[in-house]
């Protein structure tokens, strides 16, 4: 028994060291020093160098949105189709960045506010970066796919980091309301309309997640004692159901605001909420999942998840009225953002759900899930292979 305990402690320390090394390898948005380069061997190259030819760059943010349905996430990943790759290619073509910066974006302090993953969209995404002045946003958008749009470029302070300066993030999750029906109720996706008492039950269940909780059961490879698993959820609510134009299926949007989120966290929160609402497990399962015991929490599909808003309240209070920098509330861009959201994100979610029935298929696997405590290392797979590629956020 003692040997087993010692081995478990050793394994835990080993996993902690691995995660620590991986975290050190990730770029954190700080300026990285360039290696010393010897001057050119050609004396004429030195003599003819014109300092004015160097383009002056200033710290800015790029405010953008995208539909992530056909992409393997926001973050650049060689050999895969990502949002960042499309953005960097367009910026290089329009001479916003140099060849060197294209190859190593950290040299221009490139940092995203949130790392959405495969299939996840963003109505508002923020990238901090050093850019030249007098940029042609319309020209850049012409070289971007229609699923990606840059709304604005704004000046920020020299030390601004889109991720670390973020106070909170708001996500939405849109799904057909048939997901709220009792698991043993015979219903049709096309004709189901969620009654008021079902919506109320959804609201009551979502409220159980609000506040500071230990979410170690709502992510991957995290221990209960890890300080990073404690997250603060400011609000979690369901908006009124609606029927999209041109369809007969009723949908609803769940909105969540929190300081930050871990891998799979939001999708697991939605997944367990639906299991409770459908009567597959009692509400107490949620409160138990915040405790040390291990539970296998179901992960809802990634299709309906959207990064809705990035919040910079503290930055706005400190710098928004200094006369040199703009407030980052994005009110001036709301018409553009909402128009893009309706045309390229919301409509895509609805069309894809109706065509692929990802939520309907996932709901069929929920009764197979065990909501009892599980053994260490045991993972629930259901009928289909687990989708480990979906990601809610950037951690």
């Amino acid at each position: 028994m003692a040997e087993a305990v010692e081995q478990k402690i050793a394994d835990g320390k080993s996993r902690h060291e691995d995660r620590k090394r991986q975290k050190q390898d990730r770029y954190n948005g700080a300026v990285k020093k360039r290696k010393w380069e010897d001057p050119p061997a050609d004396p004429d190259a030195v003599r003819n160098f014109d300092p004015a030819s160097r383009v002056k760059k200033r710290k800015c943010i790029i405010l953008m949105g995208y539909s992530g349905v056909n992409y393997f996430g926001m973050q650049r990943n060689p050999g895969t189709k990502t949002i960042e790759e499309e953005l960097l290619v367009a910026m290089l073509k329009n001479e916003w960045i140099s060849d060197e910066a294209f190859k190593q974006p950290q040299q221009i302090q490139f940092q995203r506010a949130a790392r959405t993953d495969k299939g996840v969209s963003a109505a508002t995404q923020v990238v901090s970066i050093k850019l030249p002045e007098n940029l042609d946003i319309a020209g850049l958008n012409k070289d971007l796919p229609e699923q990606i749009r840059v709304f604005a470029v704004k000046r920020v302070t020299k030390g601004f980091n889109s991720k670390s300066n973020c106070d909170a993030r708001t996500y939405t999750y849109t799904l057909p309301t048939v997901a709220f029906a009792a698991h043993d109720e015979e219903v049709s996706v096309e004709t189901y309309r969620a009654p008021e008492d079902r919506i109320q039950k959804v609201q009551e269940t979502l409220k159980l997640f609000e506040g500071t909780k230990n979410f170690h059961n709502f992510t991957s490879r995290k221990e209960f004692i890890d300080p990073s698993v404690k997250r603060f959820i400011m609000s979690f609510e369901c908006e009124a159901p609606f029927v999209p134009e041109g369809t007969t299926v009723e949908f609803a949007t769940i909105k969540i605001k929190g300081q930050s989120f871990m891998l799979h966290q939001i999708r697991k929160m939605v997944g367990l909420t639906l299991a409770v609402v459908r009567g597959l497990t009692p509400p107490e399962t949620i409160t138990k999942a915040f405790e040390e015991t291990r539970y296998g929490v179901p992960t809802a599909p990634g299709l309906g998840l959207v990064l809705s808003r990035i919040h910079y309240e503290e930055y706005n209070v400190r710098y928004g009225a200094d006369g040199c920098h703009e407030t980052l509330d994005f009110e001036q861009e709301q018409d553009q953002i909402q128009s893009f959201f309706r045309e390229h994100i919301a409509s895509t979610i609805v069309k894809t759900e109706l065509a692929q029935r990802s939520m309907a298929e996932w709901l069929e696997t929920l009764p197979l899930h065990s909501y009892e405590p599980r053994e260490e290392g045991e993972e629930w797979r259901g009928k289909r292979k687990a989708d480990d590629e979906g990601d809610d956020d950037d951690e």
Side-chain angles (χ1 to χ4, degrees):
M1 182 68 179
E3 293 180 359
V5 173
E6 291 178 0
Q7 183 61 44
K8 188 173 182 179
I9 293 173
D11 291 342
K13 289 181 178 179
S14 178
R15 288 194 297 270
H16 177 74
E17 290 300 323
D18 289 342
R19 287 195 297 270
K20 186 176 180 182
R21 282 193 294 270
Q22 292 171 3
K23 196 169 185 179
Q24 290 173 344
D25 291 339
R26 292 203 301 260
Y27 173 60
N28 63 0
V31 182
K32 293 192 175 182
K33 294 183 179 179
R34 295 179 59 182
K35 293 181 178 179
W36 172 261
E37 297 179 1
D38 293 329
D42 182 5
D44 290 335
V46 177
R47 191 181 305 113
N48 297 328
F49 174 71
D50 180 12
S53 66
R54 297 190 63 178
V55 178
K56 187 174 183 179
K57 296 181 178 65
R58 298 182 184 276
K59 196 64 173 289
C60 304
I61 62 140
I62 295 174
L63 177 64
M64 62 183 297
Y66 51 83
S67 171
V69 170
N70 295 315
Y71 288 89
F72 288 86
M74 169 71 179
Q75 187 176 9
R76 195 181 201 181
N77 188 10
T80 58
K81 184 180 180 182
T82 65
I83 304 296
E84 279 183 11
E85 187 67 29
E86 300 274 24
L87 177 63
L88 290 167
V89 167
M91 287 197 294
L92 178 63
K93 183 176 180 180
N94 286 265
E95 299 182 348
W96 287 28
I97 60 174
S98 65
D99 289 324
E100 189 178 23
F102 175 78
K103 296 173 183 175
Q104 295 183 304
Q106 65 267 31
Q107 293 186 1
I108 49 173
Q109 300 177 32
F110 186 101
Q111 177 63 55
R112 71 201 74 78
R115 186 188 64 197
T116 58
D117 214 271
K118 181 183 177 183
V120 179
S121 302
T124 304
Q125 173 69 281
V126 176
V127 173
S128 52
I129 185 174
K130 294 188 73 173
L131 291 173
E133 298 177 320
N134 302 318
L135 299 173
D136 181 6
I137 296 176
L140 182 77
N141 281 328
K142 288 181 181 178
D143 290 316
L144 284 170
E146 64 176 8
Q147 300 96 331
I148 304 174
R149 188 63 61 238
V150 169
F151 305 123
V153 174
K154 297 175 180 284
R155 279 282 311 279
V156 290
T157 58
K158 186 177 180 180
F160 182 85
N161 181 299
S162 61
K163 179 180 177 181
S164 59
N165 281 101
C166 175
D167 303 306
R169 301 171 178 87
T170 296
Y171 279 83
T172 60
Y173 191 92
T174 301
L175 72 170
T177 57
V178 71
F180 301 152
H183 73 97
D184 55 357
E185 184 180 355
E186 291 292 334
V187 294
S188 166
V189 175
E190 287 74 18
T191 60
Y192 182 79
R193 299 293 181 265
E196 189 174 334
D197 63 324
R198 300 305 292 179
I199 298 299
Q200 183 59 35
K201 186 170 185 179
V202 174
Q203 302 285 28
E204 293 171 356
T205 305
L206 295 176
K207 290 294 179 185
L208 297 174
F209 291 95
E210 292 183 349
T212 301
K213 313 286 185 182
N214 187 309
F215 286 96
H216 76 109
N217 275 315
F218 294 84
T219 186
S220 300
R221 298 180 295 278
K222 291 281 189 177
E223 302 293 336
F224 177 78
I225 59 174
D226 188 334
S228 69
V229 299
K230 288 190 176 181
R231 303 290 166 128
F232 177 47
I233 306 302
M234 301 170 183
S235 62
F236 202 11
E237 59 189 6
C238 182
E239 298 181 340
F242 62 96
V243 178
E245 185 178 351
T247 75
T248 60
V249 179
E250 184 180 70
F251 283 77
T253 296
I254 294 173
K255 182 181 289 187
I256 179 171
K257 181 180 180 181
Q259 285 184 330
S260 60
F261 301 94
M262 296 180 290
L263 176 70
H264 301 316
Q265 183 181 338
I266 296 175
R267 290 167 58 197
K268 284 182 176 289
M269 292 166 70
V270 172
L272 191 52
T273 295
L274 295 181
V276 170
V277 171
R278 290 174 66 82
L280 294 168
T281 189
E284 290 74 28
T285 302
I286 295 176
T287 55
K288 289 178 181 178
F290 297 139
E291 300 172 358
E292 188 171 2
T293 303
R294 275 286 181 187
Y295 286 88
V297 177
T299 307
L303 174 63
L305 188 62
V306 177
L307 174 59
S308 178
R309 184 159 185 167
I310 307 290
H311 303 267
Y312 294 105
E313 278 87 358
E314 187 174 332
Y315 175 89
N316 289 338
V317 170
R318 187 170 182 180
Y319 299 106
D322 65 359
C324 299
H325 305 94
E326 298 179 67
T327 56
L328 303 183
D329 56 13
F330 314 129
E331 290 302 321
Q332 295 179 353
E333 293 75 29
Q334 279 306 304
D335 288 344
Q336 291 185 69
I337 293 171
Q338 292 305 316
S339 176
F340 180 81
F341 173 77
R342 288 191 299 269
E343 185 176 350
H344 294 285
I345 298 178
S347 61
T348 301
I349 290 174
V350 171
K351 289 177 183 176
T352 306
E353 175 59 40
L354 295 179
Q356 300 180 2
R357 299 181 71 252
S358 59
M359 176 56 70
E361 289 185 6
W362 179 80
L363 290 173
E364 292 175 3
T365 70
L366 266 188
L368 305 177
H369 192 92
S370 172
Y371 300 93
E372 297 298 321
R374 64 174 174 81
E375 296 294 328
E376 193 69 30
E378 179 187 349
E379 293 287 350
W380 176 76
R381 297 293 181 180
K383 285 186 176 180
R384 299 184 300 157
K385 181 180 177 182
D387 179 10
D388 291 332
E389 295 174 313
D391 191 1
D392 301 334
D393 206 358
D394 57 334
E395 298 183 33

